[in-house]
Amino acid sequence: MRIILLIGTLSFFSLTESFGQNEENQYLTSKGDLHLLGTISRSQLNEEPFSKWYNTVYESYSIDEERVEKVNEYYDEGVSVKIYLGTWCGDSKREVTRFLKIVDHSIMNMSNVELIGLDNRSGKMKQGPNREEDGLNIHRVPTFLFYKNGEEVGRIVEGPVSSLETDIAQIFAGLSPRPDYYLANYLLTQFGEESLDAVDTLITKNASYLKHYSKNEGELNTLGYVLMDAGKYDQAILAFRLNTLLYPESGNTFDSLGEAYLRVGDSALATTNYLKSLQLDAANENATKVLLAMLADKESR
């Protein structure tokens, strides 16, 4: 047992020595998985434990040479790319690695590509150690932001609309494709441009129309939790409430809205939404557990 513990201890110190002692830029999960935060160098992805998936994806990906020629044709040296990713995220592992291979087979300049690792721990969802994502409407990873002369000219969210090579070429050509999760991006834009009351009116009046732009109920559900972890509770509540309007048959949407109201201390609306969740899904153990805890707390006062 002591030998096993010693080996585990040595392994831990080996990992921390490989990536430095700054905990702000890395963390270990309860399962012992190491993840990176903030600015990531490409060389780090070539080291354990990341090299296992990085090298596998890199070697297996077949470049579309014809589309890469289009990337080269429209590429401008003034273009830079910021990639927000999670080393814990399967989509990030796949798409970021593929993007880097495309860089290697094109005239794109790697010095103009920045990798930023985001967190996935409770209370820090999709956040960088210095809030590098703040104000950029990052709600899914990976998110590729393309800039020209300091202005965003396109983005790829989670995955390409067509293929990475095609989407990159279109962005360079000024024909940026509409990224996935359009509704979440639209709602975030409204939060930045309109008052909460105006957004509230917008979603109430246009829910049936907005449904056409919703990928699935997970789109706004994820956005709501990202907003809550960022402390933007009023925005989170509106995102969750819109989700209940789009998916009124889903117990999960009401469960999430109940949690948001609970976090801001509105026990009445929290109870209403948890009860609605149970009405739609009697097997929702979380709603039952929370309601019983709220009842016990009330009786103890």
Side-chain angles (χ1 to χ4, degrees), residues 190 194-203:
Q190 294 304 307
E194 305 289 346
S195 68
L196 288 173
D197 287 341
V199 177
D200 191 355
T201 300
L202 173 72
I203 66 177

Side-chain angles (χ1 to χ4, degrees), residues 91 94-95 137-145 152 154-164 167 171 176-188 212-216 218-220 223:
D91 292 320
R94 180 184 65 253
E95 302 300 340
N137 294 348
I138 306 295
H139 56 93
R140 292 273 174 171
V141 289
T143 292
F144 301 77
L145 299 182
E152 182 181 333
R155 64 173 58 195
I156 298 172
V157 180
E158 198 171 67
V161 175
S162 298
S163 69
L164 274 177
D167 285 14
I171 291 171
S176 180
R178 189 177 78 183
D180 276 344
Y181 304 104
Y182 175 83
L183 182 56
N185 287 316
Y186 171 77
L187 193 57
L188 286 169
H212 297 294
Y213 295 93
S214 176
K215 187 181 180 80
N216 51 49
E219 177 176 4
L220 293 185
L223 175 62

Side-chain angles (χ1 to χ4, degrees), residues 198-249:
V199 177
D200 191 355
T201 300
L202 173 72
I203 66 177
T204 301
K205 288 184 175 181
N206 299 292
S208 60
Y209 175 75
L210 294 173
K211 176 67 180 287
H212 297 294
Y213 295 93
S214 176
K215 187 181 180 80
N216 51 49
E217 70 175 75
E219 177 176 4
L220 293 185
N221 203 59
T222 295
L223 175 62
Y225 281 103
V226 170
L227 290 169
M228 279 207 296
D229 281 357
K232 300 175 181 178
Y233 297 107
D234 290 339
Q235 293 182 11
I237 286 172
L238 287 180
F240 285 135
R241 194 167 73 76
L242 174 57
N243 219 20
T244 65
L245 297 175
L246 302 183
Y247 300 95
E249 74 289 349

Side-chain angles (χ1 to χ4, degrees), residues 17-283:
E17 286 174 4
S18 296
F19 296 98
Q21 299 296 326
N22 187 357
E23 294 183 0
E24 185 182 64
N25 296 105
Q26 64 184 49
Y27 68 94
L28 281 170
T29 68
S30 58
K31 295 181 180 180
D33 297 323
L34 181 70
H35 295 301
L36 301 175
L37 296 171
T39 301
I40 299 173
S41 67
R42 186 168 178 179
S43 62
Q44 287 178 285
L45 300 180
N46 281 307
E47 299 179 20
E48 288 290 348
F50 313 105
S51 58
K52 184 176 182 180
W53 52 260
Y54 177 79
N55 290 332
T56 298
V57 175
Y58 191 96
E59 292 168 6
S60 65
Y61 185 57
S62 297
I63 294 289
D64 186 335
E65 299 291 353
E66 182 178 346
R67 294 299 179 184
V68 169
E69 289 181 10
K70 291 295 182 181
V71 170
N72 293 339
E73 179 180 344
Y74 294 116
Y75 178 67
D76 186 316
E77 284 291 342
V79 171
S80 62
V81 187
K82 288 188 177 182
I83 306 174
Y84 292 83
L85 67 138
T87 53
W88 38 267
C89 167
D91 292 320
S92 293
K93 295 175 183 179
R94 180 184 65 253
E95 302 300 340
V96 174
T97 304
R98 289 177 175 180
F99 180 88
L100 295 177
K101 186 168 184 177
I102 292 169
V103 171
D104 292 342
H105 285 74
S106 72
I107 63 173
M108 284 192 284
N109 190 339
M110 187 61 205
S111 65
N112 291 334
V113 177
E114 184 178 358
L115 306 175
I116 303 103
L118 302 183
D119 212 320
N120 196 39
R121 288 173 291 182
S122 178
K124 300 180 179 181
M125 186 182 294
K126 311 289 177 19
Q127 294 179 15
N130 298 304
R131 297 302 303 273
E132 289 88 344
E133 82 298 338
D134 198 31
L136 296 175
N137 294 348
I138 306 295
H139 56 93
R140 292 273 174 171
V141 289
T143 292
F144 301 77
L145 299 182
F146 294 80
Y147 294 92
K148 186 173 181 179
N149 300 323
E151 293 187 7
E152 182 181 333
V153 293
R155 64 173 58 195
I156 298 172
V157 180
E158 198 171 67
V161 175
S162 298
S163 69
L164 274 177
E165 292 92 334
T166 299
D167 285 14
I168 294 167
Q170 288 180 337
I171 291 171
F172 288 169
L175 301 170
S176 180
R178 189 177 78 183
D180 276 344
Y181 304 104
Y182 175 83
L183 182 56
N185 287 316
Y186 171 77
L187 193 57
L188 286 169
T189 299
Q190 294 304 307
F191 287 144
E193 297 178 351
E194 305 289 346
S195 68
L196 288 173
D197 287 341
V199 177
D200 191 355
T201 300
L202 173 72
I203 66 177
T204 301
K205 288 184 175 181
N206 299 292
S208 60
Y209 175 75
L210 294 173
K211 176 67 180 287
H212 297 294
Y213 295 93
S214 176
K215 187 181 180 80
N216 51 49
E217 70 175 75
E219 177 176 4
L220 293 185
N221 203 59
T222 295
L223 175 62
Y225 281 103
V226 170
L227 290 169
M228 279 207 296
D229 281 357
K232 300 175 181 178
Y233 297 107
D234 290 339
Q235 293 182 11
I237 286 172
L238 287 180
F240 285 135
R241 194 167 73 76
L242 174 57
N243 219 20
T244 65
L245 297 175
L246 302 183
Y247 300 95
E249 74 289 349
S250 170
N252 184 58
T253 62
F254 288 94
D255 183 276
S256 296
L257 181 55
E259 181 177 343
Y261 279 124
L262 189 61
R263 286 215 200 176
V264 298
D266 193 330
S267 58
L269 285 176
T271 299
T272 297
N273 283 281
Y274 277 123
L275 287 173
K276 179 65 175 179
S277 176
L278 279 174
Q279 180 184 341
L280 293 166
D281 179 12

